Amino acid sequence: MLIALAASAVLLTGCLIPESFKAKADFASNGDYTFSYDGTAVHAMAAAEEKQKGSLREKDEEGLKSEAIKMKKDPMVQSAEYLGHGRYQLKLLAKKKAGENLKMMDIFSVTHGKDGVITISSPKLAAKDVQELSKLGIKIDGTLEVILPKNATIISHNATSEPKFFGLFGTYSWKIGSLDQRPEMKITLK
C-alpha cells in the first residue's frame, strides 16, 4: 500500500517534512529571487508505517528509493538521495523572476499579492497535525534566511534575528526547532 501511495505522490508534496536543513531566499532589488533548500526531509507516510510496524518492507524502501530518481527530473532538484527509513537528502534551488510565486515542499512559499506585498512563509499546521507528526518522532532543526536588498520595506516579520548594522535591509533569519514554528515575513520592494 505504501508503494502505491509513494508512487502516486506528486513531487515534493506535503508528504515530505523537512528535518535538518538550511533554507534561504535571496531577493534582488528588481524583485527576482532565488530560494534554496539543503538538508534532509522525511516522508510522513513512511514514518507512520515504520512507527506502526517497526520497519519498512523492502518493497516500500524500493518505492521510496525510486521516488528520489523521479525527483531528479524536476529542474528545481539539484540532488536527491534516498537515505533509508523514509528519509531523503535534498538540495533544491529555484530561480524566480519578479512576481513569480513559489511553493517548495509545501513548507515554504513566496507569494505576490496584487497590492505588491510579497509574503515569505510556511503554512500553519493544525495542532492535531503537529501532535501526530511529533508522535512519529519527526524533529525539525533548521534555519531559514531571507536576504533583502536596500529597496525593501518590511511590513512585518517574526524572524528570530534581524540585521543590526545596516538598517532594515540585509539578512533576517529564523531558527526553526519545532513543528509548530511558522516563519512569516511581508515586504514590498520600491
Side-chain angles (χ1 to χ4, degrees), residues 57 61 76 109 113 118 129 135 171 188:
R57 295 179 309 177
E61 289 280 8
M76 182 172 55
S109 66
I118 302 167
D129 294 334
K135 285 179 186 175
T171 302
T188 57

mmCIF file of all heavy atoms in Angstrom, residues 57 61 76 109 113 118 129 135 171 188:
data_model
loop_
_atom_site.group_PDB
_atom_site.id
_atom_site.type_symbol
_atom_site.label_atom_id
_atom_site.label_comp_id
_atom_site.label_asym_id
_atom_site.label_seq_id
_atom_site.Cartn_x
_atom_site.Cartn_y
_atom_site.Cartn_z
ATOM 1 N N ARG A 57 8.864 -2.382 4.771
ATOM 2 C CA ARG A 57 9.111 -3.562 3.937
ATOM 3 C C ARG A 57 10.111 -3.198 2.842
ATOM 4 O O ARG A 57 10.233 -2.037 2.460
ATOM 5 C CB ARG A 57 7.805 -4.037 3.305
ATOM 6 C CG ARG A 57 6.791 -4.535 4.317
ATOM 7 C CD ARG A 57 5.524 -4.970 3.653
ATOM 8 N NE ARG A 57 5.059 -3.909 2.763
ATOM 9 C CZ ARG A 57 3.994 -3.987 1.984
ATOM 10 N NH1 ARG A 57 3.270 -5.073 1.970
ATOM 11 N NH2 ARG A 57 3.630 -2.997 1.213
ATOM 12 N N GLU A 61 10.749 0.356 0.772
ATOM 13 C CA GLU A 61 12.042 1.039 0.659
ATOM 14 C C GLU A 61 12.410 1.248 -0.814
ATOM 15 O O GLU A 61 12.877 2.320 -1.195
ATOM 16 C CB GLU A 61 13.148 0.240 1.370
ATOM 17 C CG GLU A 61 13.044 0.243 2.877
ATOM 18 C CD GLU A 61 13.575 1.501 3.547
ATOM 19 O OE1 GLU A 61 13.911 2.486 2.873
ATOM 20 O OE2 GLU A 61 13.634 1.493 4.791
ATOM 21 N N MET A 76 14.031 22.069 -10.325
ATOM 22 C CA MET A 76 14.347 22.676 -9.034
ATOM 23 C C MET A 76 15.251 21.763 -8.200
ATOM 24 O O MET A 76 15.966 22.219 -7.316
ATOM 25 C CB MET A 76 13.041 22.947 -8.275
ATOM 26 C CG MET A 76 13.227 23.604 -6.948
ATOM 27 S SD MET A 76 11.704 24.143 -6.141
ATOM 28 C CE MET A 76 10.720 22.665 -6.076
ATOM 29 N N SER A 109 6.849 29.061 1.095
ATOM 30 C CA SER A 109 6.245 29.660 -0.094
ATOM 31 C C SER A 109 6.592 31.136 -0.166
ATOM 32 O O SER A 109 6.872 31.774 0.850
ATOM 33 C CB SER A 109 4.722 29.470 -0.088
ATOM 34 O OG SER A 109 4.143 30.204 0.977
ATOM 35 N N GLY A 113 1.174 39.468 -3.762
ATOM 36 C CA GLY A 113 -0.185 39.981 -3.761
ATOM 37 C C GLY A 113 -0.364 41.062 -4.818
ATOM 38 O O GLY A 113 0.603 41.671 -5.280
ATOM 39 N N ILE A 118 4.860 41.082 -0.858
ATOM 40 C CA ILE A 118 5.465 39.765 -1.030
ATOM 41 C C ILE A 118 5.458 39.094 0.340
ATOM 42 O O ILE A 118 5.938 39.668 1.320
ATOM 43 C CB ILE A 118 6.913 39.872 -1.552
ATOM 44 C CG1 ILE A 118 6.938 40.624 -2.888
ATOM 45 C CG2 ILE A 118 7.545 38.491 -1.688
ATOM 46 C CD1 ILE A 118 8.335 41.053 -3.317
ATOM 47 N N ASP A 129 -2.226 17.959 13.650
ATOM 48 C CA ASP A 129 -1.161 17.509 12.753
ATOM 49 C C ASP A 129 0.203 17.573 13.438
ATOM 50 O O ASP A 129 1.027 16.671 13.290
ATOM 51 C CB ASP A 129 -1.146 18.343 11.474
ATOM 52 C CG ASP A 129 -2.398 18.145 10.637
ATOM 53 O OD1 ASP A 129 -3.026 17.066 10.750
ATOM 54 O OD2 ASP A 129 -2.754 19.072 9.885
ATOM 55 N N LYS A 135 4.422 12.445 17.344
ATOM 56 C CA LYS A 135 4.338 11.042 17.776
ATOM 57 C C LYS A 135 5.196 10.142 16.891
ATOM 58 O O LYS A 135 5.640 9.086 17.313
ATOM 59 C CB LYS A 135 2.890 10.546 17.725
ATOM 60 C CG LYS A 135 2.024 11.062 18.844
ATOM 61 C CD LYS A 135 0.616 10.533 18.681
ATOM 62 C CE LYS A 135 -0.332 11.137 19.682
ATOM 63 N NZ LYS A 135 -1.722 10.706 19.455
ATOM 64 N N THR A 171 20.095 40.474 6.150
ATOM 65 C CA THR A 171 19.650 39.097 6.371
ATOM 66 C C THR A 171 18.795 38.977 7.622
ATOM 67 O O THR A 171 19.206 39.369 8.715
ATOM 68 C CB THR A 171 20.870 38.166 6.497
ATOM 69 O OG1 THR A 171 21.666 38.267 5.320
ATOM 70 C CG2 THR A 171 20.434 36.722 6.681
ATOM 71 N N THR A 188 7.655 44.788 0.771
ATOM 72 C CA THR A 188 7.429 45.363 -0.564
ATOM 73 C C THR A 188 8.812 45.808 -1.067
ATOM 74 O O THR A 188 9.725 46.049 -0.269
ATOM 75 C CB THR A 188 6.489 46.573 -0.542
ATOM 76 O OG1 THR A 188 7.008 47.567 0.340
ATOM 77 C CG2 THR A 188 5.081 46.171 -0.124
#
